[in-house]
Amino acid sequence: MSATKAATPEVQAIADKVKPQLEEQANRKYSLFKAVEFTTQAGQGTNYFIKVQVDNDDFVHLRVLESPPHENKPLALQGYQTDKSKGDKLTVF
């Protein structure tokens, strides 16, 4: 896993693209959805682990798979963890 870095506009765009998948799976709507930090893990494509702020003191961790370009697949939400705090570290899940 790479070092944790501050979220970039590209990472925010990835989070925004999987937000509908998260809202459907978590059965919850998020008005605030701000990517704060992320890390990546290479494998069959790239796994992004993204910490997203969804309320003042409420965060969600996302695991998003970006498939290799030749597969031409959309971004996929592979997992998520709710009830996280700002201090919780991003880990593989």
Side-chain angles (χ1 to χ4, degrees):
M1 207 156 91
S2 70
T4 300
K5 301 176 217 117
T8 63
E10 293 81 9
V11 170
Q12 181 66 56
I14 290 169
D16 289 342
K17 286 181 183 169
V18 299
K19 180 182 176 189
Q21 294 174 52
L22 173 66
E23 289 180 334
E24 182 179 324
Q25 291 179 30
N27 198 27
R28 182 173 169 196
K29 296 287 184 194
Y30 298 99
S31 55
L32 175 64
F33 205 74
K34 181 183 178 197
V36 177
E37 59 187 23
F38 76 105
T39 185
T40 58
Q41 181 183 46
Q44 293 292 340
T46 302
N47 273 306
Y48 286 86
F49 295 88
I50 307 170
K51 182 186 292 186
V52 178
Q53 183 178 10
V54 294
D55 205 343
N56 285 341
D57 297 314
D58 193 12
F59 293 78
V60 174
H61 292 184
L62 308 178
R63 179 166 49 106
V64 181
L65 175 63
E66 181 180 57
S67 296
H70 70 275
E71 290 187 8
N72 200 28
K73 291 182 179 174
L75 292 166
L77 179 66
Q78 298 285 301
Y80 65 94
Q81 297 175 329
T82 57
D83 300 320
K84 293 293 189 175
S85 70
K86 185 172 185 164
D88 288 335
K89 294 192 180 311
L90 285 169
T91 58
V92 174
F93 62 91

